[in-house]
Each structure stands twice: as C-alpha cells, then as structure tokens.
Coordinates of all heavy atoms in Angstrom, one line a residue:
M1 N 0.8 -1.2 0.0 CA 0.0 0.0 0.0 C 0.9 1.2 0.0 O 1.8 1.3 0.8 CB -0.9 0.0 1.2 CG -2.3 -0.2 0.9 SD -3.4 0.0 2.3 CE -4.8 -0.2 1.4
D2 N 0.5 2.2 -0.9 CA 1.3 3.4 -1.0 C 0.4 4.6 -0.6 O -0.2 5.2 -1.5 CB 1.8 3.5 -2.4 CG 2.8 4.7 -2.6 OD1 3.0 5.5 -1.6 OD2 3.5 4.7 -3.6
L3 N 0.3 4.8 0.7 CA -0.6 5.9 1.2 C 0.0 7.3 0.7 O -0.8 8.2 0.4 CB -0.7 5.8 2.7 CG -1.4 4.6 3.2 CD1 -1.4 4.6 4.8 CD2 -2.9 4.6 2.7
G4 N 1.3 7.4 0.7 CA 1.9 8.7 0.3 C 1.5 9.1 -1.1 O 1.1 10.2 -1.4
N5 N 1.6 8.1 -2.0 CA 1.2 8.4 -3.4 C -0.3 8.6 -3.5 O -0.7 9.5 -4.3 CB 1.6 7.2 -4.3 CG 1.4 7.5 -5.7 OD1 1.8 8.5 -6.2 ND2 0.7 6.6 -6.5
A6 N -1.1 8.0 -2.7 CA -2.6 8.2 -2.7 C -2.9 9.6 -2.2 O -3.7 10.3 -2.8 CB -3.3 7.2 -1.8
I7 N -2.1 10.1 -1.2 CA -2.3 11.5 -0.8 C -2.0 12.5 -1.9 O -2.7 13.4 -2.2 CB -1.5 11.8 0.5 CG1 -2.0 10.9 1.7 CG2 -1.5 13.2 0.9 CD1 -1.1 10.8 2.9
K8 N -0.8 12.2 -2.5 CA -0.4 13.2 -3.5 C -1.3 13.1 -4.7 O -1.7 14.2 -5.3 CB 1.0 12.8 -4.0 CG 1.6 13.7 -5.0 CD 3.0 13.4 -5.4 CE 3.6 14.4 -6.4 NZ 5.0 14.2 -6.7
T9 N -1.8 11.9 -5.1 CA -2.7 11.8 -6.2 C -4.0 12.5 -6.0 O -4.5 13.3 -6.8 CB -3.0 10.3 -6.5 OG1 -1.7 9.7 -6.9 CG2 -4.0 10.2 -7.7
L10 N -4.6 12.3 -4.8 CA -5.8 13.0 -4.5 C -5.7 14.5 -4.4 O -6.5 15.3 -4.8 CB -6.4 12.4 -3.1 CG -7.0 11.0 -3.2 CD1 -7.2 10.4 -1.8 CD2 -8.3 11.1 -4.0
R11 N -4.5 14.9 -3.8 CA -4.3 16.3 -3.7 C -4.2 17.0 -5.1 O -4.8 18.0 -5.3 CB -3.0 16.6 -2.9 CG -2.6 18.0 -2.8 CD -1.3 18.2 -2.0 NE -0.1 17.6 -2.5 CZ 0.5 18.0 -3.6 NH1 0.1 19.1 -4.2 NH2 1.6 17.4 -4.0
T12 N -3.4 16.4 -5.9 CA -3.2 17.0 -7.3 C -4.4 16.9 -8.1 O -4.7 17.8 -8.9 CB -2.0 16.4 -8.0 OG1 -2.1 15.0 -8.1 CG2 -0.7 16.7 -7.3
K13 N -5.2 15.8 -8.0 CA -6.5 15.7 -8.7 C -7.4 16.8 -8.4 O -8.2 17.2 -9.2 CB -7.1 14.3 -8.5 CG -6.6 13.2 -9.2 CD -7.3 13.0 -10.5 CE -6.9 11.7 -11.1 NZ -7.3 11.6 -12.5
Q14 N -7.3 17.3 -7.1 CA -8.2 18.3 -6.7 C -7.6 19.7 -6.8 O -8.1 20.7 -6.4 CB -8.6 18.1 -5.2 CG -9.5 16.8 -5.2 CD -10.1 16.6 -3.8 OE1 -10.1 17.5 -3.0 NE2 -10.7 15.5 -3.6
G15 N -6.4 19.8 -7.5 CA -5.8 21.1 -7.7 C -5.2 21.8 -6.5 O -5.1 23.0 -6.5
M16 N -4.9 21.0 -5.5 CA -4.4 21.6 -4.2 C -2.9 21.5 -4.2 O -2.3 20.5 -4.6 CB -4.9 20.7 -3.1 CG -5.9 21.4 -2.2 SD -6.3 20.4 -0.7 CE -7.6 19.3 -1.3
T17 N -2.3 22.5 -3.6 CA -0.9 22.5 -3.3 C -0.6 21.9 -2.0 O -1.6 21.7 -1.2 CB -0.3 23.9 -3.3 OG1 -0.9 24.7 -2.2 CG2 -0.6 24.7 -4.6
Q18 N 0.6 21.6 -1.7 CA 0.9 21.0 -0.4 C 0.6 22.1 0.7 O 0.1 21.7 1.7 CB 2.4 20.6 -0.3 CG 2.7 19.3 -1.0 CD 4.1 18.9 -0.7 OE1 5.0 19.7 -0.4 NE2 4.4 17.6 -0.9
A19 N 0.8 23.3 0.4 CA 0.5 24.4 1.3 C -1.0 24.5 1.6 O -1.4 24.7 2.8 CB 1.0 25.7 0.8
Q20 N -1.8 24.3 0.6 CA -3.2 24.4 0.8 C -3.7 23.2 1.6 O -4.6 23.3 2.5 CB -4.0 24.4 -0.5 CG -3.8 25.7 -1.3 CD -4.2 25.7 -2.7 OE1 -4.1 24.6 -3.4 NE2 -4.8 26.8 -3.2
L21 N -3.2 22.0 1.3 CA -3.6 20.8 2.1 C -3.1 21.0 3.6 O -3.8 20.7 4.5 CB -3.0 19.6 1.5 CG -3.3 18.3 2.3 CD1 -4.8 18.1 2.4 CD2 -2.7 17.1 1.6
A22 N -1.9 21.5 3.7 CA -1.3 21.7 5.1 C -2.2 22.6 5.9 O -2.5 22.4 7.1 CB 0.1 22.3 5.0
E23 N -2.7 23.7 5.2 CA -3.6 24.6 5.9 C -4.9 24.0 6.3 O -5.4 24.1 7.4 CB -3.9 25.8 5.0 CG -4.7 26.9 5.7 CD -4.8 28.2 4.8 OE1 -3.9 28.5 4.1 OE2 -5.9 28.8 4.9
K24 N -5.5 23.2 5.4 CA -6.7 22.5 5.7 C -6.6 21.5 6.8 O -7.5 21.2 7.6 CB -7.2 21.7 4.4 CG -8.0 22.5 3.5 CD -8.6 21.6 2.4 CE -9.7 22.3 1.6 NZ -10.5 21.4 0.8
M25 N -5.4 20.9 6.9 CA -5.1 19.8 7.9 C -4.6 20.4 9.2 O -4.4 19.7 10.1 CB -4.1 18.8 7.3 CG -4.5 18.1 6.1 SD -5.7 16.8 6.5 CE -4.8 15.8 7.6
D26 N -4.3 21.7 9.2 CA -3.7 22.4 10.3 C -2.4 21.7 10.7 O -2.1 21.3 11.8 CB -4.6 22.4 11.5 CG -4.2 23.3 12.6 OD1 -3.5 24.3 12.3 OD2 -4.5 23.1 13.8
M27 N -1.5 21.5 9.7 CA -0.2 20.9 9.9 C 0.8 21.7 9.0 O 0.4 22.5 8.2 CB -0.2 19.4 9.6 CG -0.6 19.0 8.2 SD -0.7 17.3 7.7 CE -0.5 16.4 9.2
S28 N 2.1 21.4 9.1 CA 3.1 22.1 8.4 C 3.2 21.5 7.0 O 2.8 20.3 6.7 CB 4.4 22.0 9.1 OG 4.9 20.7 9.0
I29 N 3.8 22.2 6.1 CA 4.0 21.7 4.7 C 5.0 20.6 4.8 O 4.9 19.6 4.1 CB 4.6 22.9 3.8 CG1 3.5 23.9 3.6 CG2 5.0 22.3 2.5 CD1 4.0 25.2 2.9
N30 N 6.0 20.7 5.7 CA 6.9 19.6 5.9 C 6.2 18.3 6.3 O 6.6 17.2 5.9 CB 8.0 19.9 6.9 CG 9.0 20.9 6.4 OD1 9.1 21.1 5.1 ND2 9.7 21.6 7.2
A31 N 5.2 18.4 7.1 CA 4.5 17.2 7.6 C 3.7 16.6 6.4 O 3.7 15.4 6.2 CB 3.5 17.6 8.7
V32 N 3.1 17.4 5.5 CA 2.4 16.9 4.3 C 3.4 16.3 3.4 O 3.2 15.2 2.9 CB 1.7 18.1 3.6 CG1 1.2 17.6 2.3 CG2 0.5 18.6 4.5
S33 N 4.6 16.9 3.2 CA 5.6 16.3 2.4 C 6.1 15.0 2.9 O 6.3 14.0 2.1 CB 6.8 17.3 2.3 OG 7.8 16.7 1.5
S34 N 6.3 14.9 4.2 CA 6.7 13.6 4.8 C 5.7 12.5 4.6 O 6.0 11.3 4.4 CB 6.9 13.8 6.3 OG 8.1 14.6 6.5
L35 N 4.4 12.9 4.7 CA 3.3 11.9 4.4 C 3.4 11.4 2.9 O 3.3 10.2 2.6 CB 1.9 12.5 4.7 CG 1.6 12.7 6.2 CD1 0.3 13.5 6.3 CD2 1.5 11.4 6.9
E36 N 3.5 12.4 2.0 CA 3.5 12.1 0.6 C 4.7 11.2 0.2 O 4.6 10.4 -0.7 CB 3.4 13.3 -0.2 CG 2.1 14.0 -0.2 CD 1.9 15.1 -1.2 OE1 2.9 15.5 -1.9 OE2 0.8 15.7 -1.2
T37 N 5.8 11.5 0.8 CA 7.0 10.7 0.4 C 7.2 9.4 1.2 O 8.1 8.6 0.9 CB 8.3 11.6 0.7 OG1 8.4 11.9 2.0 CG2 8.3 12.8 -0.2
G38 N 6.3 9.2 2.1 CA 6.3 7.9 2.9 C 7.3 7.9 4.0 O 7.5 6.9 4.6
K39 N 7.8 9.1 4.4 CA 8.7 9.2 5.5 C 8.0 9.0 6.8 O 8.6 8.5 7.8 CB 9.4 10.5 5.5 CG 10.4 10.7 4.4 CD 11.2 12.0 4.5 CE 12.1 12.1 3.3 NZ 12.7 13.5 3.3
T40 N 6.7 9.4 6.8 CA 5.9 9.1 8.0 C 4.6 8.5 7.5 O 4.1 8.7 6.4 CB 5.5 10.4 8.8 OG1 4.9 11.3 7.9 CG2 6.8 11.1 9.3
Y41 N 4.0 7.7 8.4 CA 2.8 6.9 8.1 C 1.7 7.6 8.9 O 1.8 7.8 10.1 CB 3.0 5.5 8.5 CG 1.8 4.6 8.1 CD1 1.9 4.0 6.8 CD2 0.8 4.3 8.9 CE1 0.8 3.2 6.4 CE2 -0.3 3.5 8.5 CZ -0.2 2.9 7.2 OH -1.2 2.1 6.8
P42 N 0.6 8.0 8.3 CA -0.5 8.7 9.0 C -1.2 7.8 10.0 O -1.7 6.7 9.6 CB -1.4 9.2 7.9 CG -1.2 8.2 6.8 CD 0.2 7.8 6.9
P43 N -1.4 8.3 11.2 CA -2.3 7.5 12.1 C -3.8 7.6 11.7 O -4.1 8.5 10.8 CB -2.1 8.2 13.5 CG -1.5 9.6 13.1 CD -0.8 9.5 11.8
K44 N -4.6 6.8 12.2 CA -6.0 6.8 11.8 C -6.7 8.2 11.9 O -7.4 8.5 10.9 CB -6.8 5.8 12.8 CG -8.2 5.7 12.4 CD -8.9 4.7 13.3 CE -10.4 4.7 13.0 NZ -11.2 3.8 13.9
A45 N -6.4 9.0 12.9 CA -7.0 10.3 13.0 C -6.6 11.2 11.8 O -7.4 12.0 11.3 CB -6.7 10.9 14.3
T46 N -5.4 11.1 11.4 CA -4.9 11.9 10.3 C -5.5 11.4 9.0 O -5.9 12.2 8.1 CB -3.3 11.8 10.2 OG1 -2.8 12.3 11.4 CG2 -2.8 12.6 9.0
V47 N -5.7 10.1 8.8 CA -6.3 9.5 7.6 C -7.7 10.1 7.5 O -8.2 10.5 6.5 CB -6.3 8.0 7.6 CG1 -7.2 7.5 6.5 CG2 -4.9 7.5 7.4
E48 N -8.4 10.1 8.6 CA -9.8 10.6 8.7 C -9.8 12.1 8.3 O -10.7 12.6 7.6 CB -10.4 10.4 10.0 CG -10.7 8.9 10.3 CD -11.1 8.5 11.7 OE1 -11.0 9.4 12.6 OE2 -11.5 7.4 11.9
K49 N -8.9 12.9 8.8 CA -8.8 14.3 8.5 C -8.5 14.5 7.0 O -9.0 15.4 6.3 CB -7.7 15.0 9.3 CG -8.2 15.3 10.7 CD -7.2 16.0 11.6 CE -7.1 17.5 11.1 NZ -6.2 18.3 12.0
L50 N -7.6 13.7 6.5 CA -7.2 13.7 5.0 C -8.5 13.5 4.2 O -8.7 14.2 3.2 CB -6.2 12.7 4.7 CG -4.7 13.0 5.1 CD1 -3.9 11.8 5.0 CD2 -4.2 14.1 4.2
C51 N -9.2 12.5 4.6 CA -10.4 12.1 3.8 C -11.4 13.2 3.9 O -12.1 13.6 2.9 CB -11.0 10.8 4.3 SG -10.0 9.4 4.0
E52 N -11.6 13.9 5.0 CA -12.4 15.0 5.1 C -12.0 16.2 4.3 O -12.8 16.8 3.6 CB -12.5 15.5 6.6 CG -13.5 16.6 6.9 CD -13.6 16.9 8.3 OE1 -13.6 16.0 9.2 OE2 -13.7 18.1 8.6
A53 N -10.7 16.4 4.3 CA -10.1 17.5 3.4 C -10.3 17.3 2.0 O -10.5 18.2 1.2 CB -8.6 17.7 3.8
F54 N -10.2 16.0 1.5 CA -10.4 15.6 0.1 C -11.8 15.4 -0.2 O -12.2 15.3 -1.4 CB -9.6 14.4 -0.2 CG -8.1 14.5 -0.2 CD1 -7.3 13.6 0.5 CD2 -7.5 15.6 -0.7 CE1 -5.9 13.7 0.5 CE2 -6.1 15.8 -0.7 CZ -5.3 14.8 -0.1
G55 N -12.7 15.3 0.8 CA -14.1 15.0 0.5 C -14.3 13.6 -0.1 O -15.2 13.4 -0.9
V56 N -13.5 12.6 0.4 CA -13.7 11.2 0.0 C -13.8 10.3 1.2 O -13.5 10.7 2.3 CB -12.4 10.7 -0.8 CG1 -12.3 11.6 -2.1 CG2 -11.2 10.8 0.0
S57 N -14.3 9.1 1.0 CA -14.5 8.2 2.1 C -13.1 7.5 2.4 O -12.2 7.5 1.6 CB -15.5 7.1 1.7 OG -15.0 6.3 0.7
V58 N -13.0 7.0 3.6 CA -11.8 6.3 4.0 C -11.6 5.1 3.0 O -10.5 4.8 2.6 CB -11.9 5.8 5.4 CG1 -10.7 4.9 5.8 CG2 -11.9 7.0 6.4
A59 N -12.7 4.5 2.6 CA -12.7 3.3 1.7 C -12.0 3.7 0.3 O -11.2 3.0 -0.2 CB -14.1 2.7 1.4
L60 N -12.5 4.9 -0.2 CA -11.9 5.4 -1.5 C -10.4 5.7 -1.3 O -9.6 5.4 -2.1 CB -12.6 6.6 -2.0 CG -12.0 7.2 -3.2 CD1 -11.9 6.3 -4.4 CD2 -12.8 8.5 -3.6
F61 N -10.1 6.3 -0.2 CA -8.7 6.6 0.1 C -7.8 5.3 0.1 O -6.8 5.2 -0.5 CB -8.6 7.4 1.4 CG -7.1 7.6 1.8 CD1 -6.4 8.6 1.2 CD2 -6.5 6.9 2.8 CE1 -5.1 8.9 1.5 CE2 -5.2 7.2 3.2 CZ -4.5 8.1 2.5
Q62 N -8.3 4.3 0.8 CA -7.6 3.1 0.9 C -7.5 2.4 -0.4 O -6.5 1.8 -0.8 CB -8.3 2.1 2.0 CG -8.1 2.6 3.4 CD -8.8 1.8 4.4 OE1 -9.9 1.3 4.1 NE2 -8.3 1.8 5.6
L63 N -8.6 2.4 -1.2 CA -8.6 1.9 -2.5 C -7.5 2.5 -3.4 O -6.8 1.9 -4.1 CB -10.0 2.0 -3.2 CG -10.1 1.5 -4.6 CD1 -9.9 0.0 -4.7 CD2 -11.4 1.9 -5.2
S64 N -7.4 3.9 -3.3 CA -6.5 4.6 -4.1 C -5.0 4.3 -3.7 O -4.1 4.6 -4.4 CB -6.8 6.1 -4.1 OG -6.6 6.6 -2.8
A65 N -4.9 3.8 -2.5 CA -3.5 3.5 -2.0 C -3.0 2.1 -2.4 O -1.9 1.7 -2.2 CB -3.5 3.6 -0.5
I66 N -3.9 1.2 -2.9 CA -3.5 -0.1 -3.2 C -2.6 -0.1 -4.4 O -2.8 0.6 -5.4 CB -4.8 -1.0 -3.5 CG1 -5.6 -1.2 -2.3 CG2 -4.3 -2.4 -4.1 CD1 -6.9 -2.0 -2.5
D67 N -1.5 -0.8 -4.3 CA -0.5 -0.8 -5.3 C -0.3 -2.2 -5.9 O -0.6 -3.2 -5.3 CB 0.8 -0.4 -4.6 CG 2.0 -0.3 -5.6 OD1 2.1 0.8 -6.2 OD2 2.7 -1.2 -5.7
E68 N 0.0 -2.3 -7.2 CA 0.2 -3.6 -7.8 C 1.2 -4.5 -7.1 O 1.0 -5.7 -7.0 CB 0.7 -3.4 -9.3 CG 0.8 -4.6 -10.1 CD 1.1 -4.4 -11.5 OE1 0.6 -3.4 -12.1 OE2 1.9 -5.2 -12.1
G69 N 2.2 -3.9 -6.4 CA 3.1 -4.7 -5.7 C 2.5 -5.4 -4.4 O 3.1 -6.2 -3.8
D70 N 1.3 -5.0 -4.1 CA 0.6 -5.6 -2.9 C 0.1 -7.0 -3.3 O -0.4 -7.7 -2.4 CB -0.6 -4.7 -2.5 CG -0.1 -3.4 -1.9 OD1 1.0 -3.3 -1.4 OD2 -0.9 -2.4 -2.0
F71 N 0.1 -7.4 -4.5 CA -0.4 -8.6 -5.0 C 0.6 -9.6 -5.4 O 1.6 -9.2 -6.0 CB -1.4 -8.4 -6.2 CG -2.6 -7.6 -5.8 CD1 -2.6 -6.2 -5.9 CD2 -3.7 -8.2 -5.3 CE1 -3.7 -5.5 -5.6 CE2 -4.8 -7.5 -4.9 CZ -4.8 -6.1 -5.1
P72 N 0.4 -10.9 -5.2 CA 1.3 -11.9 -5.7 C 1.3 -11.9 -7.3 O 0.3 -11.5 -7.9 CB 0.8 -13.2 -5.2 CG -0.6 -13.0 -4.7 CD -0.7 -11.5 -4.5
E73 N 2.3 -12.3 -7.9 CA 2.4 -12.3 -9.4 C 1.2 -12.8 -10.1 O 0.7 -12.3 -11.0 CB 3.7 -13.0 -9.8 CG 4.2 -12.7 -11.2 CD 4.5 -11.2 -11.4 OE1 5.1 -10.5 -10.5 OE2 4.1 -10.7 -12.5
E74 N 0.7 -14.0 -9.6 CA -0.4 -14.6 -10.3 C -1.7 -13.9 -10.2 O -2.6 -14.1 -10.9 CB -0.6 -16.1 -9.8 CG -1.0 -16.2 -8.4 CD 0.1 -16.2 -7.4 OE1 1.3 -16.0 -7.7 OE2 -0.1 -16.5 -6.2
K75 N -1.8 -12.9 -9.3 CA -3.0 -12.1 -9.1 C -2.9 -10.7 -9.8 O -3.9 -9.9 -9.8 CB -3.3 -11.9 -7.7 CG -3.5 -13.2 -6.9 CD -4.8 -13.9 -7.4 CE -5.0 -15.1 -6.5 NZ -6.1 -15.9 -6.9
K76 N -1.7 -10.3 -10.3 CA -1.6 -9.0 -10.9 C -2.4 -8.7 -12.1 O -2.8 -7.6 -12.4 CB -0.1 -8.7 -11.1 CG 0.7 -8.5 -9.9 CD 2.1 -8.2 -10.1 CE 2.8 -8.1 -8.7 NZ 4.2 -7.7 -8.8
V77 N -2.6 -9.8 -12.9 CA -3.5 -9.6 -14.1 C -4.9 -9.2 -13.7 O -5.5 -8.3 -14.2 CB -3.5 -10.9 -14.9 CG1 -4.5 -10.8 -16.0 CG2 -2.1 -11.2 -15.5
L78 N -5.4 -9.9 -12.6 CA -6.7 -9.6 -12.1 C -6.7 -8.1 -11.5 O -7.7 -7.4 -11.8 CB -7.1 -10.6 -11.0 CG -8.5 -10.4 -10.4 CD1 -9.6 -10.6 -11.4 CD2 -8.7 -11.5 -9.3
Y79 N -5.7 -7.8 -10.8 CA -5.6 -6.4 -10.3 C -5.7 -5.4 -11.4 O -6.5 -4.4 -11.4 CB -4.2 -6.2 -9.6 CG -3.8 -4.8 -9.3 CD1 -4.4 -4.1 -8.2 CD2 -3.0 -4.1 -10.2 CE1 -4.0 -2.8 -8.0 CE2 -2.6 -2.8 -9.9 CZ -3.2 -2.1 -8.8 OH -2.8 -0.8 -8.6
R80 N -4.9 -5.6 -12.5 CA -4.9 -4.6 -13.6 C -6.3 -4.6 -14.3 O -6.8 -3.5 -14.7 CB -3.9 -5.0 -14.6 CG -2.5 -4.7 -14.2 CD -1.4 -5.1 -15.2 NE -0.2 -5.4 -14.6 CZ 0.4 -6.6 -14.6 NH1 -0.2 -7.6 -15.3 NH2 1.5 -6.8 -14.0
A81 N -6.9 -5.7 -14.4 CA -8.2 -5.8 -15.1 C -9.4 -5.2 -14.3 O -10.3 -4.6 -14.9 CB -8.6 -7.3 -15.4
L82 N -9.3 -5.3 -13.0 CA -10.4 -4.8 -12.2 C -10.2 -3.6 -11.4 O -11.0 -2.6 -11.4 CB -10.9 -5.9 -11.2 CG -11.3 -7.2 -11.8 CD1 -11.6 -8.3 -10.7 CD2 -12.6 -7.0 -12.6
L83 N -9.1 -3.5 -10.7 CA -8.9 -2.5 -9.7 C -8.5 -1.1 -10.3 O -9.0 -0.1 -10.0 CB -7.9 -2.9 -8.6 CG -7.8 -2.0 -7.4 CD1 -9.1 -1.9 -6.7 CD2 -6.8 -2.5 -6.4
E84 N -7.5 -1.2 -11.3 CA -7.1 0.1 -11.9 C -8.2 0.9 -12.5 O -8.4 2.0 -12.3 CB -5.9 -0.2 -12.9 CG -4.6 -0.3 -12.2 CD -4.2 1.0 -11.5 OE1 -4.4 2.1 -12.0 OE2 -3.6 0.8 -10.4
P85 N -9.0 0.2 -13.4 CA -10.1 1.0 -14.0 C -11.1 1.6 -12.9 O -11.6 2.7 -13.1 CB -10.8 0.0 -14.9 CG -9.8 -1.0 -15.2 CD -9.0 -1.1 -14.0
L86 N -11.4 0.8 -11.9 CA -12.3 1.2 -10.9 C -11.7 2.4 -10.1 O -12.4 3.4 -9.9 CB -12.6 0.0 -9.9 CG -13.5 0.4 -8.7 CD1 -14.9 0.8 -9.1 CD2 -13.6 -0.8 -7.8
R87 N -10.5 2.3 -9.7 CA -9.8 3.4 -9.0 C -9.8 4.6 -9.9 O -10.1 5.7 -9.4 CB -8.4 2.9 -8.6 CG -7.7 4.1 -7.8 CD -6.5 3.6 -7.2 NE -5.5 3.2 -8.1 CZ -4.3 2.7 -7.8 NH1 -4.0 2.5 -6.6 NH2 -3.5 2.3 -8.8
S88 N -9.5 4.5 -11.1 CA -9.4 5.7 -12.0 C -10.8 6.3 -12.1 O -10.9 7.5 -12.1 CB -8.9 5.3 -13.4 OG -7.6 4.8 -13.3
E89 N -11.8 5.5 -12.3 CA -13.2 6.0 -12.4 C -13.6 6.8 -11.1 O -14.1 7.9 -11.1 CB -14.2 4.9 -12.6 CG -15.6 5.3 -12.7 CD -16.0 6.2 -13.8 OE1 -15.3 6.1 -14.8 OE2 -17.0 6.8 -13.8
L90 N -13.3 6.2 -9.9 CA -13.6 6.9 -8.7 C -12.9 8.1 -8.5 O -13.4 9.2 -8.1 CB -13.4 5.9 -7.5 CG -14.4 4.7 -7.4 CD1 -13.9 3.7 -6.4 CD2 -15.8 5.2 -7.1
L91 N -11.6 8.1 -8.8 CA -10.8 9.3 -8.6 C -11.2 10.4 -9.6 O -11.2 11.6 -9.3 CB -9.3 9.0 -8.8 CG -8.7 8.2 -7.6 CD1 -7.2 7.8 -8.0 CD2 -8.7 8.9 -6.3
D92 N -11.5 10.0 -10.8 CA -11.9 11.0 -11.8 C -13.2 11.7 -11.4 O -13.4 12.9 -11.7 CB -12.1 10.4 -13.2 CG -10.8 10.0 -13.9 OD1 -9.8 10.5 -13.4 OD2 -10.8 9.2 -14.8
K93 N -14.1 11.1 -10.7 CA -15.3 11.7 -10.3 C -15.1 12.8 -9.2 O -15.8 13.7 -9.0 CB -16.3 10.6 -9.7 CG -16.9 9.8 -10.8 CD -17.9 8.8 -10.2 CE -18.5 8.0 -11.4 NZ -19.5 7.1 -10.9
K94 N -13.9 12.7 -8.5 CA -13.6 13.6 -7.5 C -12.8 14.8 -8.1 O -12.6 15.8 -7.4 CB -12.8 13.0 -6.3 CG -13.7 12.1 -5.5 CD -14.7 12.9 -4.8 CE -15.7 12.0 -4.1 NZ -16.8 12.7 -3.6
G95 N -12.2 14.6 -9.2 CA -11.3 15.6 -9.8 C -11.9 16.8 -10.4 O -13.0 17.1 -10.5

C-alpha cells in the first residue's frame, strides 16, 4: 500500500498545493511532504482528516492506496483488469 502516493494523487487531482492541504489539515508543509514521500505513516485520525479535506471516504482513500506490488504475481493480471479502472473512475469523479 502506498498511502503517500494516494495522498499526492488525491491532492493533485483536486488542484491543491501542499501548502493548501497543510492549511486544511492544520499541519506544516513539511508534515504533508513527509506523508507524501512515505517518511511518515499517517495515524487513523490523520487519515480521517485527510479524507475530510479531500471529500472522499476512507474506503476510497484506501482503494487509491492499493499498489500492484501488494499482490502476488499470479493475481496482478486480475488487479490490472479490475482495480485500476475502478480506481481511476472513482478518482476522476472527485477531480
């Protein structure tokens, strides 16, 4: 799971800068950057605040964080066939 990439993807899809997200989250730009680069892992309360800031459910956030590397090789074809189009569709609706 790549939560940092999910944060960055949702932020950029919504046309937000790191500074704008930091302001919405009441945190520093460095803290947002650390989340996006995976240097820090967000606790549950931060995930909930992120979802509120992005206007998405926790489920959508978690779905957007699933990475192909999370699956064994024999399941990657299924991942590509099902999850990627679904995730793209859900994210595009928020963009």
Side-chain angles (χ1 to χ4, degrees):
M1 247 186 179
D2 189 349
L3 294 177
N5 190 48
I7 294 166
K8 184 175 182 177
T9 298
L10 287 166
R11 177 180 61 76
T12 57
K13 281 266 188 195
Q14 295 190 9
M16 246 188 275
T17 65
Q18 283 186 340
Q20 290 168 324
L21 179 57
E23 187 175 323
K24 278 187 162 196
M25 297 287 298
D26 194 29
M27 60 182 7
S28 70
I29 295 172
N30 286 341
V32 170
S33 178
S34 290
L35 290 171
E36 287 187 0
T37 59
K39 290 181 183 176
T40 58
Y41 189 85
K44 182 180 178 185
T46 301
V47 168
E48 290 169 353
K49 282 181 76 173
L50 283 164
C51 292
E52 186 177 316
F54 293 134
V56 299
S57 68
V58 172
L60 175 58
F61 176 74
Q62 290 173 331
L63 176 66
S64 66
I66 294 174
D67 185 85
E68 186 172 322
D70 295 333
F71 294 92
E73 197 60 42
E74 65 274 9
K75 301 292 184 185
K76 288 183 181 182
V77 171
L78 183 61
Y79 165 82
R80 289 183 207 111
L82 298 174
L83 193 57
E84 276 299 318
L86 177 61
R87 180 169 62 184
S88 295
E89 176 69 20
L90 291 169
L91 290 175
D92 285 346
K93 287 184 179 180
K94 290 295 176 188

